[in-house]
Amino acid sequence: MDIFLQQIINGLVLGSIYALVALGYTMVYGIINLINFAHGEVLMVGAMVSWTVITLIGPGTLPGVLLLLIALAVAMGVCMVLNVAIERLAYRPLRDAPRLAPLITAMGVSLLLQTLAMILWKPGYKPYPTLLPNQVFHVGGAVITFTQVAILGVTALTLAGLMLLIHRSRLGRAMRATAENPRVAALMGVRPDTVIAATFAIGAALAALAGVMVASNYGSVQHAMGFLPGLKAFTAAVFGGIGNLPGAMVGGLLLGLIESLGAGYIGPLTGGVLGSHYQDIFAFIVLILVLTLRPQGLLGERVADRA
């Protein structure tokens, strides 16, 4: 029972990170029908920029939480500018091209960002300073760290804020109108290019937040750290129903739980043949099953509400 509860907690933490990144995928898809495969690398850039800021200021010179917030703010700003530039330079010129062209471009941008990061920050893992308290909490025999509690809390607040933005703000209405029909939205006074740029910026801010969470939770960063979380977050978006915001959240949390429970029980279930290091296979099993059995995802694509 203790192992089960521990894996549930671990799965919710993991799923929270996937959900944040999956929202970036699904928002962009909802607006311009593009799978932005460079989104995982934006997460990586966020983590690396925050590490750079912390290293430059120096751990211990400021209270840990304040230093982390400063690093997060800088990382979000850099990622927002980067993602808007990617949209403007790489995707906008191909908006009316066959869908394969922007898809290949997205893969190219992903590799380009990885290569530039490797040149700029050099290969290899770098330790990420522990800035949050090392306090742990015991819940029914399971252990949850302060960092994990912070991840769950920040994710819940961020998701609630995003839903309010989408459904209660002028920008959110413009995003939904653009997703429904950009030409009609333009006739109603909406500027689709501005809305699309704003969507990329919001997605980048969420990815940067996820990158800082990954770095804080696992204690290291490196130039290729965005690939697997990005791929799994894409799986989560497809799992929930890509183009559907609640679907991305549900898909992320469920994928995290499946992966964590799978990692915890795959050893006993296979008699020790497979170990917990095979946990990455579950995301791809889920992706294959969803594409085969329910390609529209668990909640389906809500075209009228997609944003």
Side-chain angles (χ1 to χ4, degrees):
M1 183 62 185
D2 291 352
I3 295 177
F4 178 77
L5 185 57
Q6 186 66 61
Q7 296 304 327
I8 291 291
I9 291 173
N10 295 342
L12 289 175
V13 172
L14 198 58
S16 297
I17 295 169
Y18 292 158
L20 286 176
V21 186
L23 284 169
Y25 277 109
T26 214
M27 288 170 66
V28 168
Y29 182 83
I31 290 281
I32 58 174
N33 289 337
L34 166 71
I35 304 296
N36 180 17
F37 278 116
H39 200 55
E41 274 56 54
V42 177
L43 177 152
M44 174 271 295
V45 170
M48 299 302 287
V49 168
S50 69
W51 173 83
T52 303
V53 172
I54 292 169
T55 303
L56 288 175
I57 296 177
T61 56
L62 293 174
V65 174
L66 177 60
L67 182 54
L68 191 61
L69 288 176
I70 292 173
L72 175 63
V74 175
M76 280 183 166
V78 171
C79 288
M80 289 169 78
V81 171
L82 173 66
N83 222 23
V84 170
I86 291 172
E87 187 277 326
R88 181 67 184 85
L89 299 175
Y91 299 149
R92 191 178 299 181
L94 299 174
R95 202 173 287 170
D96 297 322
R99 297 182 67 176
L100 190 58
L103 192 66
I104 294 173
T105 301
M107 294 178 182
V109 172
S110 170
L111 291 173
L112 176 64
L113 290 178
Q114 271 198 43
T115 304
L116 291 176
M118 185 172 61
I119 295 171
L120 185 60
W121 285 291
K122 309 302 179 188
Y125 285 91
K126 299 162 181 60
Y128 198 86
T130 302
L131 299 176
L132 296 177
N134 287 318
Q135 188 176 359
V136 297
F137 305 94
H138 295 273
V139 182
V143 175
I144 180 168
T145 66
F146 185 91
T147 300
Q148 290 176 319
V149 172
I151 289 174
L152 292 174
V154 170
T155 300
L157 290 175
T158 303
L159 296 183
L162 181 65
M163 294 307 291
L164 282 175
L165 174 72
I166 297 297
H167 294 287
R168 293 286 185 271
S169 73
R170 186 174 181 179
L171 174 61
R173 288 193 293 274
M175 291 168 72
R176 284 184 285 144
T178 305
E180 182 71 19
N181 191 319
R183 296 182 188 278
V184 174
L187 292 176
M188 301 296 290
V190 174
R191 300 174 65 181
D193 286 344
T194 303
V195 171
I196 291 169
T199 303
F200 272 81
I202 294 170
L206 295 176
L209 176 60
V212 173
M213 287 180 174
V214 171
S216 299
N217 194 41
Y218 295 103
S220 66
V221 293
Q222 61 114 347
H223 71 280
M225 63 178 287
F227 177 72
L228 265 182
L231 204 54
K232 291 178 182 178
F234 168 67
T235 302
V238 174
F239 189 21
I242 193 161
N244 186 317
L245 290 179
M249 301 177 200
V250 172
L253 292 174
L254 285 179
L255 186 65
L257 288 171
I258 291 170
E259 186 174 316
S260 186
L261 289 171
Y265 289 100
I266 191 172
L269 290 176
T270 60
V273 175
L274 300 178
S276 60
H277 52 284
Y278 282 92
Q279 68 181 58
D280 292 337
I281 65 173
F282 295 104
F284 303 107
I285 291 174
V286 167
L287 180 60
I288 292 169
L289 289 176
V290 170
L291 291 177
T292 305
L293 303 176
R294 190 174 168 82
Q296 73 271 33
L298 292 178
L299 302 187
E301 181 187 4
R302 293 167 55 188
V303 175
D305 295 333
R306 66 186 184 183

